[in-house]
C-alpha cells in the first residue's frame, strides 16, 4: 500500500491505494522511504492549481483519499478599526493562506502567529501563546512598552513608503511656512494688519535636521531643490550628499549654532526624551524656529513657551504633543507663534503599507532577516 501526504497550508490530503502503484515523479519530492513520498510545499499562488492536479491524478490512479482541514496561521489586527476592512481585502486577495482576524474577536488564540498592532495587549504572552512576530503598525515603537514584551518575540516597525512621503510633504510645508513667515502673516490677518516684511533668500536660510536615519535623509532630499543650506545631526556619524553632517554630543552645539530652522525627526528613546529643552534652545541663533514632527516626548513644553515669549525662538510648528489630544486649556491652542496640527504629518495607508508587511511575513516564513526589526538595545 502506498501512503502519500501532501502538506499544504490549509489542507492535508491523505491518499491510500489497495494496489501498489507508481506515483508520478513530477508530483513527488526527491525523498522516499518504504513506499512513502512527501510532497514539497508549493508556493502560495500554485497551491490551488496543484491541489486540483493532485486530486485528478489520484482519481485516475484509483487512489482513495480524504481531506482534513488544517488551521491556517492567523494575523490579529489591533489598530484603527476604520482601516481594518481595507487591510482585510488586501490579505484576502494577496495572502489567502493567512487568516485575518480583528481585535477583540481573536477566535482560537493558538492559531495566531502574527499580531499587527498600535498597542499590544498587556497579557500578550498568556493571551497569544503561539505568537511569532509583533508588527508595530507605525514608523516608531515608542508607544510600546518593550520591557513587557518577551525578548524572544521579534518586534518589527512598519516600513511604509506612504508614511515617508507624508513626512516629506509635512516637513516641506512646515519649513516653507517658517521660511516665508506664514505664522507672522496669519497673526497680522487676525489683527487686520497689512504689512510686508523683508524676504530672506532660501540660500541664506539654514535648515538643520535632528536625526539622520532614512526618514531624515528623505526629508533632506525633498528640501534640497528649494536651495536651503542643509545640515543634520545624529548620535553616530553619517555622510549625506549635499548636507553638512554633525555627530555626537561634542558636535551638537556647533550644529545648533547654525540652524535658523531646526527640525526634529529623532526616534524617542531614553537618550532623546526631553532633548528639545531650554539648554538646547539657548544654543540656537536668536529668532530661530522649531519644527517637531518626531514625538511629543522630545519637547519640554514649558521651555518652548519660555523661549517663544523671550524671543529666543520666533515660531514653532508642532505635530506632536506630550498629551494627545491637548487639553482644552493648553496654552499652545491660542499661542500666536505656534502652528499646531493633530499628529497628521503622516498616516499609515494599508495599500502602501501592505507590501512591506507581507514581505516581512514571507521573510520570517523562509527564516530570513526581516526589515525594520527593532534593536532592543537602541529602542528602535
Amino acid at each position: 500500500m502506498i501512503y502519500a501526504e501532501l502538506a499544504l497550508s490549509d489542507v492535508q490530503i491523505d491518499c491510500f491505494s489497495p494496489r501498489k502503484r507508481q506515483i508520478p515523479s513530477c508530483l513527488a519530492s526527491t525523498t522516499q522511504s518504504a513506499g512513502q513520498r512527501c510532497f514539497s510545499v508549493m508556493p502560495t499562488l500554485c497551491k490551488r492549481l496543484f491541489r486540483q492536479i493532485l486530486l485528478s491524478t489520484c482519481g485516475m490512479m484509483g487512489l482513495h483519499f480524504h481531506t482534513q482541514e488544517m488551521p491556517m496561521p492567523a494575523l490579529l489586527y489591533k489598530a484603527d478599526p476604520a482601516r481594518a476592512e481595507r487591510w482585510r481585502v488586501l490579505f484576502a486577495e494577496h495572502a489567502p493562506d493567512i487568516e485575518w482576524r480583528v481585535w477583540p474577536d481573536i477566535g482560537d488564540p493558538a492559531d495566531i502567529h502574527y499580531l499587527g498592532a498600535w498597542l499590544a495587549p498587556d497579557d500578550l504572552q498568556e493571551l497569544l501563546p503561539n505568537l511569532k512576530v509583533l508588527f508595530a503598525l507605525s514608523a516608531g515603537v515608542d508607544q510600546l512598552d518593550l520591557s513587557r514584551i518577551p525578548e524572544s518575540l521579534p518586534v518589527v516597525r512598519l516600513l511604509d513608503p506612504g508614511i515617508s512621503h507624508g513626512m516629506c510633504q509635512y516637513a516641506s510645508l512646515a519649513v516653507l511656512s517658517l521660511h516665508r513667515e506664514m505664522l507672522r502673516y496669519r497673526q497680522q490677518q487676525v489683527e487686520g494688519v497689512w504689512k510686508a516684511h523683508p524676504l530672506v533668500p532660501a540660500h541664506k536660510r539654514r535648515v538643520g535636521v535632528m536625526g539622520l536615519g532614512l526618514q531624515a535623509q528623505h526629508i533632506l532630499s525633498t528640501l534640497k531643490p528649494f536651495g536651503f543650506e542643509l545640515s543634520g545631526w545624529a548620535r553616530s556619524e553619517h555622510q549625506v550628499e549635499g548636507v553638512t553632517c554633525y555627530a555626537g554630543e561634542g558636535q551638537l552645539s556647533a550644529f545648533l549654532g547654525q540652524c535658523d530652522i531646526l527640525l526634529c525627526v529623532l526616534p524617542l528613546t531614553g537618550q532623546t526624551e526631553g532633548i528639545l529643552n531650554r539648554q538646547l534652545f539657548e544654543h540656537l541663533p536668536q529668532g530661530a524656529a522649531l519644527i517637531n514632527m518626531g514625538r511629543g516626548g522630545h519637547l519640554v513644553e514649558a521651555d518652548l513657551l519660555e523661549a517663544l515669549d523671550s524671543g529666543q525662538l520666533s515660531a514653532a510648528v508642532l505635530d506632536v504633543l506630550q498629551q494627545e489630544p491637548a487639553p482644552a486649556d493648553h496654552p499652545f491652542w491660542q499661542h500666536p507663534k505656534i502652528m499646531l496640527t493633530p499628529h497628521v504629518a503622516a498616516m499609515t495607508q494599508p495599500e502602501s503599507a501592505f507590501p512591506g508587511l507581507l514581505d516581512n511575513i514571507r521573510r520570517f516564513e523562509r527564516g530570513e532577516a526581516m526589515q525594520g526589526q527593532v534593536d532592543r538595545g537602541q529602542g528602535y
Side-chain angles (χ1 to χ4, degrees):
M1 180 178 71
I2 295 176
Y3 170 84
E5 179 182 277
L6 172 65
L8 299 177
S9 65
D10 54 348
V11 173
Q12 176 176 296
I13 303 175
D14 298 326
C15 303
F16 301 91
S17 172
R19 301 188 303 276
K20 184 175 181 179
R21 294 183 181 273
Q22 293 294 322
I23 296 176
S25 59
C26 64
L27 297 180
S29 70
T30 56
T31 59
Q32 176 182 3
S33 62
Q36 175 179 337
R37 294 183 185 269
C38 298
F39 297 102
S40 301
V41 175
M42 306 299 288
T44 302
L45 296 179
C46 298
K47 288 178 180 177
R48 294 184 183 276
L49 176 60
F50 184 71
R51 184 185 300 116
Q52 293 301 319
I53 294 173
L54 178 69
L55 296 180
S56 298
T57 303
C58 289
M60 290 187 294
M61 296 172 59
L63 295 173
H64 306 288
F65 60 87
H66 69 272
T67 62
Q68 177 184 354
E69 292 294 328
M70 300 291 287
M72 289 191 293
L75 183 146
L76 177 63
Y77 175 83
K78 187 179 181 293
D80 180 12
R83 283 176 270 189
E85 177 61 16
R86 291 160 62 189
W87 281 104
R88 185 199 66 77
V89 170
L90 290 165
F91 270 90
E93 181 177 355
H94 301 287
D97 57 314
I98 301 173
E99 185 178 352
W100 175 258
R101 299 181 187 177
V102 179
W103 178 274
D105 300 325
I106 68 175
D108 185 352
D111 300 339
I112 297 173
H113 290 190
Y114 311 109
L115 173 63
W118 168 253
L119 293 174
D122 291 335
D123 52 349
L124 182 62
Q125 198 166 12
E126 295 76 17
L127 181 65
L128 305 175
N130 293 331
L131 189 64
K132 310 296 184 186
V133 185
L134 168 55
F135 292 104
L137 298 183
S138 57
V141 294
D142 54 279
Q143 76 278 10
L144 298 173
D145 185 353
L146 295 178
S147 67
R148 303 187 64 177
I149 297 174
E151 288 281 348
S152 58
L153 181 66
V155 179
V156 181
R157 295 182 293 108
L158 190 64
L159 301 179
D160 178 5
I163 289 180
S164 179
H165 294 157
M167 294 285 280
C168 290
Q169 292 168 6
Y170 188 95
S172 299
L173 171 67
V175 169
L176 290 172
S177 294
L178 294 171
H179 170 57
R180 298 302 300 266
E181 299 192 76
M182 289 302 167
L183 275 75
R184 190 176 188 179
Y185 287 120
R186 183 191 66 180
Q187 186 60 27
Q188 287 186 186
Q189 179 181 351
V190 172
E191 297 171 355
V193 175
W194 186 278
K195 181 181 179 181
H197 300 279
L199 176 63
V200 177
H203 70 272
K204 291 187 177 181
R205 186 76 76 183
R206 301 168 297 178
V207 179
V209 176
M210 296 188 76
L212 283 172
L214 288 177
Q215 182 59 70
Q217 292 183 36
H218 290 323
I219 289 173
L220 286 162
S221 295
T222 303
L223 294 174
K224 280 181 183 179
F226 296 109
F228 299 117
E229 183 179 332
L230 300 175
S231 62
W233 176 86
R235 294 195 173 275
S236 57
E237 291 188 2
H238 290 72
Q239 291 186 348
V240 181
E241 184 178 356
V243 178
T244 303
C245 296
Y246 298 80
E249 294 293 335
Q251 296 184 6
L252 180 57
S253 295
F255 163 73
L256 295 171
Q258 51 82 63
C259 290
D260 299 316
I261 298 175
L262 178 66
L263 189 156
C264 177
V265 287
L266 289 167
L268 182 62
T269 67
Q271 292 180 313
T272 64
E273 185 172 5
I275 194 171
L276 302 176
N277 56 32
R278 180 188 297 108
Q279 183 179 3
L280 181 142
F281 298 150
E282 289 174 351
H283 285 91
L284 291 168
Q286 186 166 7
L290 172 70
I291 302 168
N292 186 20
M293 45 191 295
R295 288 291 187 263
H298 288 127
L299 177 64
V300 179
E301 295 180 352
D303 290 358
L304 173 62
L305 288 171
E306 179 184 307
L308 290 170
D309 293 343
S310 70
Q312 176 60 25
L313 294 183
S314 61
V317 177
L318 307 175
D319 186 54
V320 288
L321 296 179
Q322 290 275 4
Q323 180 181 346
E324 298 178 3
D329 60 349
H330 198 292
F332 286 177
W333 283 118
Q334 303 299 328
H335 201 292
K337 296 182 180 180
I338 294 177
M339 177 188 292
L340 188 62
T341 55
H343 207 144
V344 294
M347 295 182 181
T348 300
Q349 300 298 329
E351 292 76 13
S352 59
F354 174 79
L357 176 60
L358 182 60
D359 177 63
N360 269 334
I361 291 176
R362 299 309 186 203
R363 285 171 176 267
F364 177 79
E365 290 174 343
R366 296 192 298 265
E368 300 174 2
M370 292 178 287
Q371 296 183 323
Q373 184 165 341
V374 173
D375 183 325
R376 297 293 186 102
Q378 293 185 324
Y380 61 92

